[in-house]
Amino acid sequence: MKASRTTRRVLQLVCAHLVVGAALLGRFAVGDDPFATSLLTLAAFAAGYALVDLIPLHLEFRRHAHTITITEAVIVASAFYMEPAGVVAAAVIGELIACLKNRLQPLQLTFNVAQTFGAAAVAITVFTAVGPADATSGRAWAAAFAAAACFATVSMVSVASVLTIVEGTAFRRVVGVTSASTGITALASAALGLALLTLAEGSAAAPLLLAPVVALVVLESKRVTDASAERLRFQRLYEASSRTARLSRLEEAVTVLATEARDLLTGAQAICCARGDDGSWSGVVVDDAGSRALDATAVEELRAVSGNSTVELAWQQVPPALRAVCARDSEVVVAPSDPTNGGQVVLAVVAPHGGEQRQSGLAEVLSAFAGTAALAVSNAALYAEVETALRHQIDLNRQKAEFVAAVSHELRTPLASVLGSVQTIRRLGARLAPDDAEELLEAALSQGSRLRRLIEDLLLVAAAEHRTAHYQSDPIDPVATLRALEDQFRAASGEQRLRVVVDPDVKELCTDEDKLQRVLTNLVENAVKYAPDGPIELRCAKLDGGSRFTVTDSGPGIPAHERERVFERFVQLDQSSTRRQGGTGLGLHLCRNVAELLGGSLIVRGRDDGRPGAQFVLTLPGETAVPAPPSEPPPVTPKADVRNAEPFPDRLVAPGAR
Amino acid sequence: MTDNGDPMNTEVDPIHLLEASAQRPRRVLVVDDDPTIRRVLTLNLEADGYEVSVAGDGDEAKELARSIHPDVVILDVMMPVADGYSVLRALRSSPQTDDIPVVMLSARASDDEVFQGWQSGADSYVTKPFELDEVMSLVEKMVATADDRL
């Protein structure tokens, strides 16, 4: 719809030109011979017109490059030789030849010819009105300048109108940009036409004197063209570079870079291959249909074919897998980024064979852009890296804050009980029944102990996490240790479910008794809390080069995927039950860290008899008999002292301890 | 009502309190999953002449609040089953219980948590470990305010 409407409006413009031109020409009385001069003259001027139209000159004016033609010179010169109709005919024929030579589309051709017809008719009307006698008179100059000015003005207005219709450019803007160069050109052309005419009056060969000047002008025009094309290329390179400077994801970056490379070289397709963080290469092809991944073989071929330098490949040189991607009979420019500078990008642009306006220097532009692309890709990688690190840091900070909040809560709760009990005893004094007072004292003591244990646990965890805790490696009797533990549980909490089993071949064991007890106590307490029913078994067995302690309960057990998580600090699988049980959430984390500190390990698994329940397995090295003595005595106190949680410069390392 | 409105007065004479309210002893509901805290608050409140009911978790607290309609609720935040905030919301959403003054009691003491506590619609927020005298005077003040309203 839009296209046909545009066409219609252009055709209306064409008609306007034809009507104006015809009306003006009709005013001239058609004499006996409208073409008073010979057809040869007509042909000569038509050829001249076509020639100047085909050699456009380029000039720079106010930092704009303008393309101009000096057709006015031919119009002016021919006006002295031919009747008005002849002048217009020569111009129209010349324009037609030029258009055909430039292979313009029918609509463009129609417009150009009509516009020439109209403009030439206006110009010759003005020329005739001034009515010069001969080329050397003053009136001749006035007539020539007026005619040239009219021709140029009509042309400019026509072109501005048609651009407004076809490209939607603002009419005033086109006129504003072109009016100065048009005016200068018109006057210069008229002068040139008259000068040629005057010289030709004297001698037919005289105009040849101007040949060197013309040659100079043409050469200069060529230089201006090249320079402006080069500037344009660099401007586009710069723009493409600044657009790609802030890419943040590799996949996105590769696609954007390929798109930019394609636009930069106005290719049909473009490929961007880049090396990822892991050293693997991947590529993307971009064309009119969008972007898609390039298969690995083609990526390899592209890297192999480019080597370390930019290459231009003819269709025969394109490797097979790459051929499958490219349009048939294309030419491919391949540019790798500087290998000494990371060399992690290869760009390729595919253009149709012998494409129009095949410019030189495209390979250099692509090569330069490859450098930018490599920078963009490493920026994207760096960005991703920083983002990951930052996210990790934020996670760590959050965990730390959560840890502090949890510790604060865990410390405050028993402290509230202790202080509340003591304050009550003092506040109520004699009003308090002796039994109640006794109960409060008991509570204060037990909560105080809980607080103390929590603090010790915290310090031990901190020390064990940093492997700075000291520990003994003494021969101990596991049987006695376990029996003591059993008695302690029975006495303290009336817990009757604990059963201790020691395999008969278990003998002496070299480890830190205090810490072993701490771990086993925690594991048994854990079982008491989370397995409210059924027996709890604590078993000790001998292993090759160590011993194994298992704590087995008959509770609900722990799902396989959660088993590692229970050892993280302050992780409670069931928040509400932990609250109910009053756990610190530190127990199992502490147990594992201490087990590792002692050179052993702690895992949890399902019961080996397949029944529901959890089984914690503590494995410790340092079998029997030969105690592994520390290389030197502990520096502070012979007993492990978790209160010295600060790093010791000369900490002891037991066999197997990390 | 000479002494009851004075926040500085922390020692409350139970006889005086009974005189002031005339009809019945004031009822306080203590909600905490820690038995020691429940015991401590109960002993002190009873000694000051209040009638005390206790609940060990949030659901029990909601039930009791509806059935006994206490004059003041002392409410722990972190509890199993239903936490203190959910109890508070339940109290505030029912017309029977929405006017009961609530003292939140919590071991969550970071700035954010205290702010959240004050924002929750509780009448007061006290962090553990608490000053017993402070809690007792808060309860007293709330009972007095409720009396003023009558």
Side-chain angles (χ1 to χ4, degrees):
Chain A
M1 283 299 287
K2 187 166 183 267
S4 67
R5 195 166 141 247
T6 309
T7 311
R8 215 165 46 235
R9 291 186 61 191
V10 172
L11 288 176
Q12 284 169 1
L13 199 62
V14 166
C15 290
H17 281 101
L18 295 178
V19 167
V20 169
L24 289 175
L25 281 184
R27 286 180 65 242
F28 298 107
V30 177
D32 300 332
D33 182 5
F35 304 104
T37 44
S38 66
L39 277 176
L40 191 66
T41 318
L42 180 70
F45 278 111
Y49 188 96
L51 194 66
V52 292
D53 211 16
L54 279 172
I55 307 175
L57 299 178
H58 300 272
L59 65 88
E60 277 189 316
F61 184 73
R62 286 191 188 160
R63 308 189 63 200
H64 287 286
H66 300 276
T67 303
I68 54 160
T69 51
I70 47 166
T71 45
E72 288 87 351
V74 181
I75 303 269
V76 167
S78 63
F80 285 96
Y81 279 95
M82 292 190 289
E83 291 294 308
V87 171
V88 173
V92 166
I93 293 167
E95 181 67 33
L96 191 63
I97 294 168
C99 287
L100 289 173
K101 177 74 180 55
N102 279 336
R103 295 181 187 181
L104 292 190
Q105 289 169 5
L107 190 65
Q108 281 177 302
L109 184 141
T110 314
F111 170 76
N112 282 9
V113 170
Q115 176 244 315
T116 306
F117 176 71
V122 171
I124 200 64
T125 306
V126 170
F127 184 84
T128 316
V130 179
D134 63 89
T136 50
S137 70
R139 285 182 77 173
W141 284 83
F145 282 131
C150 286
F151 184 82
T153 307
V154 172
S155 298
M156 181 182 71
V157 170
S158 303
V159 169
S161 308
V162 85
L163 283 179
T164 310
I165 293 168
V166 176
E167 292 183 4
T169 337
F171 179 84
R172 288 174 60 181
R173 194 172 161 270
V174 178
V175 173
V177 168
T178 53
S179 56
S181 58
T182 308
I184 294 169
T185 313
L187 298 182
S189 298
L192 186 67
L194 279 177
L196 282 169
L197 208 61
T198 316
L199 284 172
E201 294 277 298
S203 151
L208 287 178
L209 288 173
L210 285 175
V213 179
V214 171
L216 269 179
V217 169
V218 171
L219 282 177
E220 174 61 10
S221 163
K222 179 98 178 84
R223 191 195 63 78
V224 169
T225 317
D226 289 351
S228 78
E230 178 134 357
R231 198 173 53 214
L232 193 66
R233 267 208 303 270
F234 277 101
Q235 190 179 344
R236 287 168 62 187
L237 181 63
Y238 172 77
E239 285 168 1
S241 303
S242 46
R243 275 196 299 270
T244 53
R246 289 179 183 279
L247 295 172
S248 59
R249 279 177 42 245
L250 185 64
E251 307 82 46
E252 182 201 355
V254 171
T255 310
V256 171
L257 289 169
T259 312
E260 291 287 352
R262 176 172 175 251
D263 293 348
L264 196 60
L265 267 68
T266 51
Q269 294 169 300
I271 298 169
C272 179
C273 300
R275 192 176 57 197
D277 279 345
D278 52 355
S280 68
W281 283 76
S282 60
V284 162
V285 192
V286 169
D287 56 21
D288 286 336
S291 68
R292 59 192 184 280
L294 186 67
D295 65 275
T297 330
V299 173
E300 280 312 308
E301 283 177 358
L302 205 57
R303 288 182 55 208
V305 87
S306 68
N308 290 339
S309 58
T310 307
V311 287
E312 288 174 83
L313 301 175
W315 182 243
Q316 295 77 19
Q317 298 167 289
V318 178
L322 204 54
R323 267 191 196 201
V325 180
C326 303
R328 217 183 138 59
D329 275 341
S330 318
E331 286 173 350
V332 184
V333 186
V334 187
S337 64
D338 184 358
T340 59
N341 197 10
Q344 46 186 1
V345 171
V346 177
L347 290 174
V349 173
V350 183
H353 171 68
E356 51 187 324
Q357 299 176 329
R358 197 86 183 88
Q359 295 170 352
S360 60
L362 287 186
E364 284 80 358
V365 171
L366 192 64
S367 181
F369 188 59
T372 304
L375 211 59
V377 164
S378 22
N379 275 352
L382 206 62
Y383 185 91
E385 204 173 289
V386 169
E387 200 183 23
T388 311
L390 198 64
R391 201 164 284 157
H392 181 71
Q393 194 61 44
I394 290 169
D395 266 8
L396 219 61
N397 280 349
R398 206 199 53 236
Q399 277 174 19
K400 217 187 252 174
E402 282 169 1
F403 178 77
V404 169
V407 166
S408 156
H409 179 267
E410 295 305 329
L411 293 175
R412 281 165 183 278
T413 304
L415 190 58
S417 292
V418 173
L419 291 177
S421 300
V422 174
Q423 284 173 10
T424 305
I425 291 168
R426 199 179 65 180
R427 183 171 184 272
L428 297 184
R431 284 190 281 164
L432 197 61
D435 282 358
D436 288 337
E438 187 59 31
E439 188 194 338
L440 289 178
L441 281 175
E442 265 315 313
L445 283 175
S446 101
Q447 294 293 327
S449 309
R450 186 179 154 199
L451 197 55
R452 187 188 60 200
R453 225 191 93 195
L454 187 64
I455 292 168
E456 282 174 0
D457 278 2
L458 277 169
L459 290 175
L460 183 55
V461 162
E465 275 178 351
H466 294 102
R467 302 281 183 267
T468 52
H470 278 240
Y471 58 92
Q472 295 290 103
S473 190
D474 292 334
I476 64 162
D477 178 8
V479 181
T481 307
L482 297 194
R483 294 288 168 219
L485 201 70
E486 190 179 23
D487 291 345
Q488 178 200 322
F489 262 89
R490 294 222 166 116
S493 51
E495 186 61 60
Q496 298 298 319
R497 292 186 288 148
L498 180 65
R499 201 160 63 93
V500 170
V501 182
V502 181
D503 286 0
D505 56 346
V506 171
K507 295 190 191 73
E508 214 172 42
L509 170 70
C510 259
T511 192
D512 186 315
E513 184 172 19
D514 193 47
K515 295 206 169 34
L516 173 63
Q517 261 186 349
R518 191 68 131 313
V519 173
L520 292 177
T521 308
N522 263 319
L523 290 178
V524 172
E525 277 181 350
N526 189 66
V528 170
K529 272 190 283 185
Y530 290 97
D533 306 308
I536 296 160
E537 187 192 78
L538 170 55
R539 176 185 285 267
C540 178
K542 182 177 173 296
L543 284 183
D544 280 348
S547 10
R548 185 175 63 201
F549 297 84
T550 51
V551 177
T552 313
D553 65 44
S554 318
I558 302 169
H561 64 279
E562 298 274 38
R563 282 182 189 154
E564 270 308 297
R565 244 165 61 78
V566 299
F567 294 108
E568 291 170 23
R569 63 185 180 190
F570 291 116
V571 164
Q572 292 118 7
L573 296 187
D574 179 358
Q575 292 281 345
S576 60
S577 76
T578 312
R579 287 290 152 239
R580 188 160 50 237
Q581 307 299 351
T584 62
L586 263 181
L588 292 176
H589 180 67
L590 172 93
C591 288
R592 169 164 279 187
N593 273 285
V594 173
E596 287 173 0
L597 182 75
L598 296 177
S601 68
L602 175 65
I603 59 155
V604 63
R605 59 189 189 193
R607 283 172 62 127
D608 41 17
D609 59 8
R611 282 156 56 188
Q615 187 167 62
F616 285 85
V617 183
L618 169 69
T619 313
L620 289 181
E623 200 187 345
T624 52
V626 197
S631 51
E632 58 186 76
V636 180
T637 131
K639 260 301 197 195
D641 189 351
V642 297
R643 277 157 296 188
N644 291 310
E646 287 303 308
F648 290 101
D650 51 351
R651 70 189 170 94
L652 301 175
V653 178
R658 280 196 258 153
Chain B
M1 291 282 256
T2 49
D3 288 337
N4 289 349
D6 180 4
M8 297 306 289
N9 181 9
T10 52
E11 284 293 328
V12 178
D13 180 0
I15 308 299
H16 184 88
L17 191 82
L18 280 174
E19 277 169 5
S21 54
Q23 304 91 348
R24 60 174 177 90
R26 296 301 177 190
R27 215 176 271 145
V28 179
L29 173 58
V30 174
V31 188
D32 201 310
D33 60 331
D34 184 335
T36 310
I37 298 290
R38 288 203 299 265
R39 193 79 188 112
V40 162
L41 290 173
T42 305
L43 284 171
N44 283 281
L45 288 164
E46 281 178 351
D48 285 3
Y50 297 96
E51 194 173 89
V52 182
S53 302
V54 294
D57 66 57
D59 283 351
E60 202 184 339
K62 290 177 199 168
E63 281 298 317
L64 271 176
R66 264 196 296 274
S67 58
I68 66 169
H69 196 91
D71 296 278
V72 174
V73 177
I74 299 177
L75 186 55
D76 183 29
V77 171
M78 283 174 87
M79 288 184 297
V81 190
D83 73 1
Y85 290 125
S86 89
V87 175
L88 184 66
R89 277 194 301 277
L91 292 183
R92 293 291 183 250
S93 63
S94 158
Q96 297 164 326
T97 53
D98 66 345
D99 59 340
I100 303 177
V102 174
V103 181
M104 298 296 271
L105 207 56
S106 176
R108 287 159 61 159
S110 75
D111 290 350
D112 284 353
E113 288 160 347
V114 173
F115 184 71
Q116 187 196 354
W118 282 107
Q119 286 225 308
S120 64
D123 298 82
S124 193
Y125 188 91
V126 178
T127 54
K128 289 180 183 177
F130 50 84
E131 278 300 319
L132 199 50
D133 287 343
E134 186 195 342
V135 175
M136 299 310 286
S137 88
L138 270 172
V139 170
E140 188 194 326
K141 217 166 34 171
M142 282 168 182
V143 169
T145 315
D147 282 345
D148 283 348
R149 269 202 304 245
L150 288 176

